[in-house]
mmCIF file with all atom_site columns, all heavy atoms in Angstrom:
data_model
loop_
_atom_site.group_PDB
_atom_site.id
_atom_site.type_symbol
_atom_site.label_atom_id
_atom_site.label_alt_id
_atom_site.label_comp_id
_atom_site.label_asym_id
_atom_site.label_entity_id
_atom_site.label_seq_id
_atom_site.pdbx_PDB_ins_code
_atom_site.Cartn_x
_atom_site.Cartn_y
_atom_site.Cartn_z
_atom_site.occupancy
_atom_site.B_iso_or_equiv
_atom_site.pdbx_formal_charge
_atom_site.auth_seq_id
_atom_site.auth_comp_id
_atom_site.auth_asym_id
_atom_site.auth_atom_id
_atom_site.pdbx_PDB_model_num
ATOM 1   N N   . THR W 1 76 ? -15.035 9.823  -2.009  1.00 97.00 ? 164 THR W N   1
ATOM 2   C CA  . THR W 1 76 ? -14.533 10.587 -3.137  1.00 97.00 ? 164 THR W CA  1
ATOM 3   C C   . THR W 1 76 ? -13.356 11.434 -2.681  1.00 97.00 ? 164 THR W C   1
ATOM 4   O O   . THR W 1 76 ? -13.410 12.057 -1.612  1.00 97.00 ? 164 THR W O   1
ATOM 5   C CB  . THR W 1 76 ? -15.629 11.516 -3.704  1.00 97.00 ? 164 THR W CB  1
ATOM 6   O OG1 . THR W 1 76 ? -16.749 10.733 -4.096  1.00 97.00 ? 164 THR W OG1 1
ATOM 7   C CG2 . THR W 1 76 ? -15.107 12.270 -4.912  1.00 97.00 ? 164 THR W CG2 1
ATOM 8   N N   . LEU W 1 77 ? -12.300 11.432 -3.468  1.00 98.00 ? 165 LEU W N   1
ATOM 9   C CA  . LEU W 1 77 ? -11.130 12.270 -3.240  1.00 98.00 ? 165 LEU W CA  1
ATOM 10  C C   . LEU W 1 77 ? -11.064 13.281 -4.379  1.00 98.00 ? 165 LEU W C   1
ATOM 11  O O   . LEU W 1 77 ? -11.156 12.907 -5.537  1.00 98.00 ? 165 LEU W O   1
ATOM 12  C CB  . LEU W 1 77 ? -9.855  11.422 -3.214  1.00 98.00 ? 165 LEU W CB  1
ATOM 13  C CG  . LEU W 1 77 ? -8.528  12.159 -3.015  1.00 98.00 ? 165 LEU W CG  1
ATOM 14  C CD1 . LEU W 1 77 ? -8.433  12.737 -1.610  1.00 98.00 ? 165 LEU W CD1 1
ATOM 15  C CD2 . LEU W 1 77 ? -7.354  11.222 -3.281  1.00 98.00 ? 165 LEU W CD2 1
ATOM 16  N N   . LYS W 1 78 ? -10.917 14.550 -4.029  1.00 98.00 ? 166 LYS W N   1
ATOM 17  C CA  . LYS W 1 78 ? -10.912 15.602 -5.039  1.00 98.00 ? 166 LYS W CA  1
ATOM 18  C C   . LYS W 1 78 ? -9.638  16.438 -4.948  1.00 98.00 ? 166 LYS W C   1
ATOM 19  O O   . LYS W 1 78 ? -9.117  16.679 -3.842  1.00 98.00 ? 166 LYS W O   1
ATOM 20  C CB  . LYS W 1 78 ? -12.122 16.520 -4.864  1.00 98.00 ? 166 LYS W CB  1
ATOM 21  C CG  . LYS W 1 78 ? -13.465 15.828 -5.033  1.00 98.00 ? 166 LYS W CG  1
ATOM 22  C CD  . LYS W 1 78 ? -14.626 16.796 -4.808  1.00 98.00 ? 166 LYS W CD  1
ATOM 23  C CE  . LYS W 1 78 ? -15.969 16.083 -4.937  1.00 98.00 ? 166 LYS W CE  1
ATOM 24  N NZ  . LYS W 1 78 ? -17.116 16.996 -4.689  1.00 98.00 ? 166 LYS W NZ  1
ATOM 25  N N   . ILE W 1 79 ? -9.185  16.874 -6.113  1.00 97.00 ? 167 ILE W N   1
ATOM 26  C CA  . ILE W 1 79 ? -8.053  17.797 -6.188  1.00 97.00 ? 167 ILE W CA  1
ATOM 27  C C   . ILE W 1 79 ? -8.512  19.002 -6.993  1.00 97.00 ? 167 ILE W C   1
ATOM 28  O O   . ILE W 1 79 ? -9.031  18.864 -8.098  1.00 97.00 ? 167 ILE W O   1
ATOM 29  C CB  . ILE W 1 79 ? -6.824  17.176 -6.883  1.00 97.00 ? 167 ILE W CB  1
ATOM 30  C CG1 . ILE W 1 79 ? -6.456  15.833 -6.250  1.00 97.00 ? 167 ILE W CG1 1
ATOM 31  C CG2 . ILE W 1 79 ? -5.631  18.127 -6.795  1.00 97.00 ? 167 ILE W CG2 1
ATOM 32  C CD1 . ILE W 1 79 ? -5.327  15.106 -6.977  1.00 97.00 ? 167 ILE W CD1 1
ATOM 33  N N   . GLN W 1 80 ? -8.347  20.189 -6.419  1.00 97.00 ? 168 GLN W N   1
ATOM 34  C CA  . GLN W 1 80 ? -8.725  21.408 -7.130  1.00 97.00 ? 168 GLN W CA  1
ATOM 35  C C   . GLN W 1 80 ? -7.932  22.587 -6.611  1.00 97.00 ? 168 GLN W C   1
ATOM 36  O O   . GLN W 1 80 ? -8.087  22.959 -5.438  1.00 97.00 ? 168 GLN W O   1
ATOM 37  C CB  . GLN W 1 80 ? -10.237 21.667 -6.977  1.00 97.00 ? 168 GLN W CB  1
ATOM 38  C CG  . GLN W 1 80 ? -10.717 22.891 -7.736  1.00 97.00 ? 168 GLN W CG  1
ATOM 39  C CD  . GLN W 1 80 ? -12.232 23.017 -7.766  1.00 97.00 ? 168 GLN W CD  1
ATOM 40  O OE1 . GLN W 1 80 ? -12.947 22.329 -7.036  1.00 97.00 ? 168 GLN W OE1 1
ATOM 41  N NE2 . GLN W 1 80 ? -12.735 23.898 -8.596  1.00 97.00 ? 168 GLN W NE2 1
ATOM 42  N N   . PRO W 1 81 ? -7.083  23.190 -7.439  1.00 96.00 ? 169 PRO W N   1
ATOM 43  C CA  . PRO W 1 81 ? -6.730  22.792 -8.798  1.00 96.00 ? 169 PRO W CA  1
ATOM 44  C C   . PRO W 1 81 ? -5.555  21.817 -8.805  1.00 96.00 ? 169 PRO W C   1
ATOM 45  O O   . PRO W 1 81 ? -4.737  21.806 -7.887  1.00 96.00 ? 169 PRO W O   1
ATOM 46  C CB  . PRO W 1 81 ? -6.299  24.129 -9.410  1.00 96.00 ? 169 PRO W CB  1
ATOM 47  C CG  . PRO W 1 81 ? -5.667  24.854 -8.253  1.00 96.00 ? 169 PRO W CG  1
ATOM 48  C CD  . PRO W 1 81 ? -6.454  24.438 -7.039  1.00 96.00 ? 169 PRO W CD  1
ATOM 49  N N   . ALA W 1 82 ? -5.486  20.989 -9.831  1.00 97.00 ? 170 ALA W N   1
ATOM 50  C CA  . ALA W 1 82 ? -4.392  20.024 -9.927  1.00 97.00 ? 170 ALA W CA  1
ATOM 51  C C   . ALA W 1 82 ? -3.102  20.718 -10.362 1.00 97.00 ? 170 ALA W C   1
ATOM 52  O O   . ALA W 1 82 ? -3.121  21.686 -11.131 1.00 97.00 ? 170 ALA W O   1
ATOM 53  C CB  . ALA W 1 82 ? -4.748  18.913 -10.911 1.00 97.00 ? 170 ALA W CB  1
ATOM 54  N N   . GLU W 1 83 ? -1.978  20.217 -9.847  1.00 96.00 ? 171 GLU W N   1
ATOM 55  C CA  . GLU W 1 83 ? -0.656  20.705 -10.219 1.00 96.00 ? 171 GLU W CA  1
ATOM 56  C C   . GLU W 1 83 ? 0.135   19.567 -10.865 1.00 96.00 ? 171 GLU W C   1
ATOM 57  O O   . GLU W 1 83 ? -0.211  18.390 -10.711 1.00 96.00 ? 171 GLU W O   1
ATOM 58  C CB  . GLU W 1 83 ? 0.089   21.211 -8.983  1.00 96.00 ? 171 GLU W CB  1
ATOM 59  C CG  . GLU W 1 83 ? -0.579  22.403 -8.320  1.00 96.00 ? 171 GLU W CG  1
ATOM 60  C CD  . GLU W 1 83 ? 0.164   22.883 -7.085  1.00 96.00 ? 171 GLU W CD  1
ATOM 61  O OE1 . GLU W 1 83 ? 1.123   22.198 -6.666  1.00 96.00 ? 171 GLU W OE1 1
ATOM 62  O OE2 . GLU W 1 83 ? -0.210  23.952 -6.561  1.00 96.00 ? 171 GLU W OE2 1
ATOM 63  N N   . LEU W 1 84 ? 1.202   19.923 -11.579 1.00 96.00 ? 172 LEU W N   1
ATOM 64  C CA  . LEU W 1 84 ? 2.003   18.910 -12.270 1.00 96.00 ? 172 LEU W CA  1
ATOM 65  C C   . LEU W 1 84 ? 2.491   17.833 -11.309 1.00 96.00 ? 172 LEU W C   1
ATOM 66  O O   . LEU W 1 84 ? 2.510   16.645 -11.627 1.00 96.00 ? 172 LEU W O   1
ATOM 67  C CB  . LEU W 1 84 ? 3.196   19.577 -12.963 1.00 96.00 ? 172 LEU W CB  1
ATOM 68  C CG  . LEU W 1 84 ? 2.870   20.549 -14.100 1.00 96.00 ? 172 LEU W CG  1
ATOM 69  C CD1 . LEU W 1 84 ? 4.140   21.193 -14.623 1.00 96.00 ? 172 LEU W CD1 1
ATOM 70  C CD2 . LEU W 1 84 ? 2.133   19.837 -15.223 1.00 96.00 ? 172 LEU W CD2 1
ATOM 71  N N   . GLY W 1 85 ? 2.862   18.239 -10.103 1.00 95.00 ? 173 GLY W N   1
ATOM 72  C CA  . GLY W 1 85 ? 3.390   17.315 -9.109  1.00 95.00 ? 173 GLY W CA  1
ATOM 73  C C   . GLY W 1 85 ? 2.374   16.341 -8.544  1.00 95.00 ? 173 GLY W C   1
ATOM 74  O O   . GLY W 1 85 ? 2.740   15.439 -7.788  1.00 95.00 ? 173 GLY W O   1
ATOM 75  N N   . ASP W 1 86 ? 1.104   16.518 -8.902  1.00 97.00 ? 174 ASP W N   1
ATOM 76  C CA  . ASP W 1 86 ? 0.067   15.601 -8.417  1.00 97.00 ? 174 ASP W CA  1
ATOM 77  C C   . ASP W 1 86 ? -0.010  14.332 -9.250  1.00 97.00 ? 174 ASP W C   1
ATOM 78  O O   . ASP W 1 86 ? -0.752  13.405 -8.899  1.00 97.00 ? 174 ASP W O   1
ATOM 79  C CB  . ASP W 1 86 ? -1.301  16.293 -8.428  1.00 97.00 ? 174 ASP W CB  1
ATOM 80  C CG  . ASP W 1 86 ? -1.371  17.474 -7.469  1.00 97.00 ? 174 ASP W CG  1
ATOM 81  O OD1 . ASP W 1 86 ? -0.648  17.455 -6.453  1.00 97.00 ? 174 ASP W OD1 1
ATOM 82  O OD2 . ASP W 1 86 ? -2.126  18.417 -7.764  1.00 97.00 ? 174 ASP W OD2 1
ATOM 83  N N   . SER W 1 87 ? 0.744   14.274 -10.346 1.00 97.00 ? 175 SER W N   1
ATOM 84  C CA  . SER W 1 87 ? 0.755   13.069 -11.174 1.00 97.00 ? 175 SER W CA  1
ATOM 85  C C   . SER W 1 87 ? 1.267   11.891 -10.349 1.00 97.00 ? 175 SER W C   1
ATOM 86  O O   . SER W 1 87 ? 2.383   11.930 -9.827  1.00 97.00 ? 175 SER W O   1
ATOM 87  C CB  . SER W 1 87 ? 1.642   13.262 -12.404 1.00 97.00 ? 175 SER W CB  1
ATOM 88  O OG  . SER W 1 87 ? 1.124   14.273 -13.241 1.00 97.00 ? 175 SER W OG  1
ATOM 89  N N   . ALA W 1 88 ? 0.443   10.871 -10.206 1.00 97.00 ? 176 ALA W N   1
ATOM 90  C CA  . ALA W 1 88 ? 0.754   9.723  -9.347  1.00 97.00 ? 176 ALA W CA  1
ATOM 91  C C   . ALA W 1 88 ? -0.388  8.715  -9.470  1.00 97.00 ? 176 ALA W C   1
ATOM 92  O O   . ALA W 1 88 ? -1.350  8.947  -10.206 1.00 97.00 ? 176 ALA W O   1
ATOM 93  C CB  . ALA W 1 88 ? 0.899   10.169 -7.888  1.00 97.00 ? 176 ALA W CB  1
ATOM 94  N N   . VAL W 1 89 ? -0.266  7.627  -8.731  1.00 98.00 ? 177 VAL W N   1
ATOM 95  C CA  . VAL W 1 89 ? -1.371  6.669  -8.606  1.00 98.00 ? 177 VAL W CA  1
ATOM 96  C C   . VAL W 1 89 ? -2.042  6.893  -7.260  1.00 98.00 ? 177 VAL W C   1
ATOM 97  O O   . VAL W 1 89 ? -1.360  6.975  -6.230  1.00 98.00 ? 177 VAL W O   1
ATOM 98  C CB  . VAL W 1 89 ? -0.873  5.221  -8.722  1.00 98.00 ? 177 VAL W CB  1
ATOM 99  C CG1 . VAL W 1 89 ? -2.024  4.243  -8.466  1.00 98.00 ? 177 VAL W CG1 1
ATOM 100 C CG2 . VAL W 1 89 ? -0.273  4.970  -10.102 1.00 98.00 ? 177 VAL W CG2 1
ATOM 101 N N   . TYR W 1 90 ? -3.353  7.021  -7.276  1.00 98.00 ? 178 TYR W N   1
ATOM 102 C CA  . TYR W 1 90 ? -4.124  7.207  -6.054  1.00 98.00 ? 178 TYR W CA  1
ATOM 103 C C   . TYR W 1 90 ? -4.827  5.890  -5.729  1.00 98.00 ? 178 TYR W C   1
ATOM 104 O O   . TYR W 1 90 ? -5.661  5.407  -6.495  1.00 98.00 ? 178 TYR W O   1
ATOM 105 C CB  . TYR W 1 90 ? -5.104  8.368  -6.213  1.00 98.00 ? 178 TYR W CB  1
ATOM 106 C CG  . TYR W 1 90 ? -4.358  9.679  -6.331  1.00 98.00 ? 178 TYR W CG  1
ATOM 107 C CD1 . TYR W 1 90 ? -3.814  10.087 -7.543  1.00 98.00 ? 178 TYR W CD1 1
ATOM 108 C CD2 . TYR W 1 90 ? -4.147  10.472 -5.200  1.00 98.00 ? 178 TYR W CD2 1
ATOM 109 C CE1 . TYR W 1 90 ? -3.091  11.263 -7.636  1.00 98.00 ? 178 TYR W CE1 1
ATOM 110 C CE2 . TYR W 1 90 ? -3.420  11.657 -5.295  1.00 98.00 ? 178 TYR W CE2 1
ATOM 111 C CZ  . TYR W 1 90 ? -2.893  12.041 -6.518  1.00 98.00 ? 178 TYR W CZ  1
ATOM 112 O OH  . TYR W 1 90 ? -2.160  13.205 -6.604  1.00 98.00 ? 178 TYR W OH  1
ATOM 113 N N   . LEU W 1 91 ? -4.457  5.328  -4.595  1.00 98.00 ? 179 LEU W N   1
ATOM 114 C CA  . LEU W 1 91 ? -4.962  4.021  -4.177  1.00 98.00 ? 179 LEU W CA  1
ATOM 115 C C   . LEU W 1 91 ? -5.983  4.174  -3.062  1.00 98.00 ? 179 LEU W C   1
ATOM 116 O O   . LEU W 1 91 ? -5.791  4.973  -2.143  1.00 98.00 ? 179 LEU W O   1
ATOM 117 C CB  . LEU W 1 91 ? -3.814  3.149  -3.659  1.00 98.00 ? 179 LEU W CB  1
ATOM 118 C CG  . LEU W 1 91 ? -2.749  2.712  -4.661  1.00 98.00 ? 179 LEU W CG  1
ATOM 119 C CD1 . LEU W 1 91 ? -1.512  2.221  -3.931  1.00 98.00 ? 179 LEU W CD1 1
ATOM 120 C CD2 . LEU W 1 91 ? -3.284  1.618  -5.566  1.00 98.00 ? 179 LEU W CD2 1
ATOM 121 N N   . CYS W 1 92 ? -7.017  3.392  -3.139  1.00 98.00 ? 180 CYS W N   1
ATOM 122 C CA  . CYS W 1 92 ? -7.998  3.299  -2.062  1.00 98.00 ? 180 CYS W CA  1
ATOM 123 C C   . CYS W 1 92 ? -7.864  1.918  -1.433  1.00 98.00 ? 180 CYS W C   1
ATOM 124 O O   . CYS W 1 92 ? -7.618  0.925  -2.128  1.00 98.00 ? 180 CYS W O   1
ATOM 125 C CB  . CYS W 1 92 ? -9.397  3.512  -2.610  1.00 98.00 ? 180 CYS W CB  1
ATOM 126 S SG  . CYS W 1 92 ? -10.710 3.402  -1.380  1.00 98.00 ? 180 CYS W SG  1
ATOM 127 N N   . ALA W 1 93 ? -8.003  1.853  -0.124  1.00 96.00 ? 181 ALA W N   1
ATOM 128 C CA  . ALA W 1 93 ? -7.941  0.572  0.582   1.00 96.00 ? 181 ALA W CA  1
ATOM 129 C C   . ALA W 1 93 ? -9.029  0.544  1.645   1.00 96.00 ? 181 ALA W C   1
ATOM 130 O O   . ALA W 1 93 ? -9.529  1.589  2.071   1.00 96.00 ? 181 ALA W O   1
ATOM 131 C CB  . ALA W 1 93 ? -6.576  0.360  1.222   1.00 96.00 ? 181 ALA W CB  1
ATOM 132 N N   . SER W 1 94 ? -9.405  -0.659 2.062   1.00 95.00 ? 182 SER W N   1
ATOM 133 C CA  . SER W 1 94 ? -10.367 -0.774 3.147   1.00 95.00 ? 182 SER W CA  1
ATOM 134 C C   . SER W 1 94 ? -9.974  -1.913 4.068   1.00 95.00 ? 182 SER W C   1
ATOM 135 O O   . SER W 1 94 ? -9.208  -2.805 3.681   1.00 95.00 ? 182 SER W O   1
ATOM 136 C CB  . SER W 1 94 ? -11.789 -0.985 2.606   1.00 95.00 ? 182 SER W CB  1
ATOM 137 O OG  . SER W 1 94 ? -11.945 -2.250 1.998   1.00 95.00 ? 182 SER W OG  1
ATOM 138 N N   . SER W 1 95 ? -10.467 -1.852 5.279   1.00 93.00 ? 183 SER W N   1
ATOM 139 C CA  . SER W 1 95 ? -10.190 -2.914 6.248   1.00 93.00 ? 183 SER W CA  1
ATOM 140 C C   . SER W 1 95 ? -11.354 -3.026 7.217   1.00 93.00 ? 183 SER W C   1
ATOM 141 O O   . SER W 1 95 ? -12.183 -2.127 7.339   1.00 93.00 ? 183 SER W O   1
ATOM 142 C CB  . SER W 1 95 ? -8.885  -2.648 7.005   1.00 93.00 ? 183 SER W CB  1
ATOM 143 O OG  . SER W 1 95 ? -8.999  -1.504 7.837   1.00 93.00 ? 183 SER W OG  1
ATOM 144 N N   . LEU W 1 96 ? -11.368 -4.155 7.916   1.00 88.00 ? 184 LEU W N   1
ATOM 145 C CA  . LEU W 1 96 ? -12.418 -4.425 8.888   1.00 88.00 ? 184 LEU W CA  1
ATOM 146 C C   . LEU W 1 96 ? -11.847 -4.229 10.274  1.00 88.00 ? 184 LEU W C   1
ATOM 147 O O   . LEU W 1 96 ? -10.863 -4.884 10.634  1.00 88.00 ? 184 LEU W O   1
ATOM 148 C CB  . LEU W 1 96 ? -12.922 -5.854 8.709   1.00 88.00 ? 184 LEU W CB  1
ATOM 149 C CG  . LEU W 1 96 ? -14.105 -6.293 9.571   1.00 88.00 ? 184 LEU W CG  1
ATOM 150 C CD1 . LEU W 1 96 ? -15.333 -5.453 9.249   1.00 88.00 ? 184 LEU W CD1 1
ATOM 151 C CD2 . LEU W 1 96 ? -14.396 -7.777 9.334   1.00 88.00 ? 184 LEU W CD2 1
ATOM 152 N N   . ALA W 1 97 ? -12.405 -3.314 11.036  1.00 77.00 ? 185 ALA W N   1
ATOM 153 C CA  . ALA W 1 97 ? -11.919 -3.064 12.383  1.00 77.00 ? 185 ALA W CA  1
ATOM 154 C C   . ALA W 1 97 ? -11.988 -4.346 13.209  1.00 77.00 ? 185 ALA W C   1
ATOM 155 O O   . ALA W 1 97 ? -12.991 -5.063 13.179  1.00 77.00 ? 185 ALA W O   1
ATOM 156 C CB  . ALA W 1 97 ? -12.756 -1.974 13.053  1.00 77.00 ? 185 ALA W CB  1
ATOM 157 N N   . GLY W 1 98 ? -10.888 -4.640 13.902  1.00 70.00 ? 186 GLY W N   1
ATOM 158 C CA  . GLY W 1 98 ? -10.859 -5.819 14.756  1.00 70.00 ? 186 GLY W CA  1
ATOM 159 C C   . GLY W 1 98 ? -10.454 -7.090 14.051  1.00 70.00 ? 186 GLY W C   1
ATOM 160 O O   . GLY W 1 98 ? -10.451 -8.164 14.659  1.00 70.00 ? 186 GLY W O   1
ATOM 161 N N   . SER W 1 99 ? -10.091 -7.004 12.764  1.00 70.00 ? 187 SER W N   1
ATOM 162 C CA  . SER W 1 99 ? -9.667  -8.213 12.053  1.00 70.00 ? 187 SER W CA  1
ATOM 163 C C   . SER W 1 99 ? -8.348  -8.703 12.636  1.00 70.00 ? 187 SER W C   1
ATOM 164 O O   . SER W 1 99 ? -7.513  -7.920 13.071  1.00 70.00 ? 187 SER W O   1
ATOM 165 C CB  . SER W 1 99 ? -9.509  -7.941 10.556  1.00 70.00 ? 187 SER W CB  1
ATOM 166 O OG  . SER W 1 99 ? -8.456  -7.045 10.321  1.00 70.00 ? 187 SER W OG  1
#
Side-chain angles (χ1 to χ4, degrees):
Chain W
T164 302
L165 179 68
K166 298 179 182 179
I167 308 175
Q168 182 171 13
E171 297 179 353
L172 295 176
D174 296 331
S175 296
V177 175
Y178 293 82
L179 294 164
C180 179
S182 69
S183 67
L184 185 63
S187 66

